[in-house]
Amino acid sequence: MEILCSLSWLEQKVRKQKSLLWLRHLSNSWDEWVGVDRLMKHTEENVMKQQALDKKQGVDKNPKSGRSAQTKPKSSADAKLDKEDLKNNVSKGKKRKSDSGAEKDNVSLEKLVRIQIPSTLRKQLVDDWEFVTQQDKLVKLPRSPTVDDILTKYLEYRSKKDGMMTDSIGEILKGIRCYFDKALPVMLLYKKERKQYHEAVVDNVSPSTIYGAEHLLRLFVKLPELLAYVNIEEETLTRLQQKLLDFLKFLQKNHSTFFLSAYDGSKVSEGKGKGKDE
């Protein structure tokens, strides 16, 4: 069972998500994140389209208040026509919404791998966010054990427990390492960690040989979205989900060994205090 790691689609997808907070999945929101591809350019033609749409919807822009005001009361005939327009627009709106979903590389929510992160590790994610973004502390690099070390330890653990080394486990761990190395610089770092990354990862060194469990755990928050772009059969996806959950339990079991209890506050990036961390 193999996890594919395609650099082209991975880099394209993760760059669109760099502005999202790590822990936004822990809170509910009514807002919709609109991609750049859904925005219209500011041209004369598009402005005219917007004005025509506003006129059709009976909206008059008030330049003083910045609010939209309804036009004068409509006749019964106009109201009947508006009702028909509304019915048609709702139908079209549903189609546009459906088309928009299809544009996202035909990714189905039902296909997302469900990864239930254990409570101890969820707390670790919150503490991790607190250390970096609120206390200006970073994970001191290089870490020990590294991501590579942890993956190797897990492989040994499964081999002893199962009495054999399975190819599927090895392929999954290779996939995790690949995703980590490519996703780290574009979606797994906070703003204040970027300078540290450029100082630590030089001469084509793999991040998995520098970083440790703290950053590896962040990958599992994003992994369901990343795997949604890989063509995996449902049965294989189910088995993969079980393997990933088992790996997280391994991290939890070795929490005190793999994770730092405190971060280094002596070295932060130049971005301190400038803007919102990602």
Side-chain angles (χ1 to χ4, degrees):
M1 180 166 51
E2 180 179 2
I3 297 181
L4 301 180
C5 183
S6 173
L7 308 191
S8 58
W9 67 259
L10 173 60
E11 292 177 354
Q12 291 174 4
K13 298 307 172 187
V14 297
R15 289 183 187 281
K16 292 182 180 180
Q17 303 177 44
K18 287 174 64 180
S19 62
L20 303 183
L21 288 176
W22 262 103
L23 300 178
R24 83 172 192 273
H25 69 289
L26 299 179
S27 61
N28 293 323
S29 173
W30 291 103
D31 296 331
E32 178 185 3
W33 291 86
V34 179
V36 177
D37 55 336
R38 292 176 59 186
L39 301 180
M40 299 177 66
K41 294 183 178 180
H42 186 75
T43 63
E44 183 177 351
E45 180 182 358
N46 289 335
V47 170
M48 294 179 64
K49 289 182 179 179
Q50 182 62 49
Q51 291 176 348
L53 180 61
D54 290 343
K55 183 177 180 181
K56 182 177 181 180
Q57 295 178 341
V59 177
D60 181 28
K61 298 291 183 179
N62 188 331
K64 293 183 180 180
S65 64
R67 292 175 173 267
S68 298
Q70 295 292 335
T71 56
K72 62 181 180 179
K74 300 173 182 176
S75 65
S76 58
D78 290 337
K80 184 176 181 181
L81 290 175
D82 286 346
K83 187 175 182 180
E84 291 295 327
D85 287 340
L86 177 60
K87 183 177 180 180
N88 293 332
N89 287 336
V90 168
S91 177
K92 292 178 181 178
K94 289 181 179 179
K95 185 177 185 301
R96 283 195 297 268
K97 184 176 181 180
S98 176
D99 292 342
S100 175
E103 289 174 1
K104 296 181 180 180
D105 299 314
N106 297 320
V107 175
S108 171
L109 292 177
E110 297 177 354
K111 186 183 177 183
L112 287 180
V113 177
R114 310 297 178 183
I115 302 179
Q116 183 64 40
I117 299 178
S119 59
T120 301
L121 299 184
R122 289 202 302 269
K123 183 180 183 302
Q124 173 65 40
L125 285 168
V126 174
D127 291 342
D128 177 54
W129 175 84
E130 176 75 20
F131 276 132
V132 178
T133 68
Q134 305 302 305
Q135 300 181 25
D136 296 327
K137 296 181 179 181
L138 304 180
V139 172
K140 190 173 182 178
L141 301 177
R143 280 286 286 119
S144 180
T146 64
V147 170
D148 275 356
D149 292 336
I150 294 172
L151 296 177
T152 300
K153 289 179 183 295
Y154 178 73
L155 184 59
E156 294 173 352
Y157 160 76
R158 288 306 317 178
S159 297
K160 291 180 180 180
K161 187 173 182 178
D162 300 337
M164 59 181 294
M165 183 180 296
T166 61
D167 293 337
S168 62
I169 295 296
E171 289 298 332
I172 290 174
L173 296 181
K174 287 180 183 178
I176 291 176
R177 180 185 289 108
C178 180
Y179 275 114
F180 180 82
D181 286 339
K182 301 305 176 183
L184 178 72
V186 290
M187 70 185 298
L188 302 185
L189 294 176
Y190 291 112
K191 183 178 181 180
K192 295 176 182 178
E193 297 176 306
R194 292 174 185 166
K195 180 183 177 182
Q196 182 194 42
Y197 167 81
H198 290 296
E199 292 175 347
V201 182
V202 294
D203 298 328
N204 296 320
V205 173
S206 299
S208 56
T209 64
I210 303 292
Y211 287 81
E214 296 78 18
H215 291 78
L216 176 61
L217 182 57
R218 297 181 192 178
L219 174 66
F220 282 82
V221 178
K222 294 294 186 181
L223 202 52
E225 299 173 43
L226 297 177
L227 291 176
Y229 295 99
V230 182
N231 186 21
I232 305 178
E233 295 180 356
E234 184 176 352
E235 182 180 351
T236 302
L237 201 61
T238 300
R239 293 201 303 270
L240 173 60
Q241 176 180 309
Q242 295 171 349
K243 301 294 185 183
L244 295 176
L245 290 175
D246 186 72
F247 181 79
L248 285 173
K249 290 179 180 179
F250 176 74
L251 290 182
Q252 183 182 39
K253 181 179 180 181
N254 295 276
H255 184 270
S256 60
T257 302
F258 292 162
F259 292 90
L260 292 172
S261 58
Y263 289 10
D264 182 14
S266 63
K267 190 176 183 182
V268 296
S269 75
E270 294 178 341
K272 180 179 178 181
K274 295 181 180 180
K276 193 174 184 180
D277 284 299
E278 298 176 21

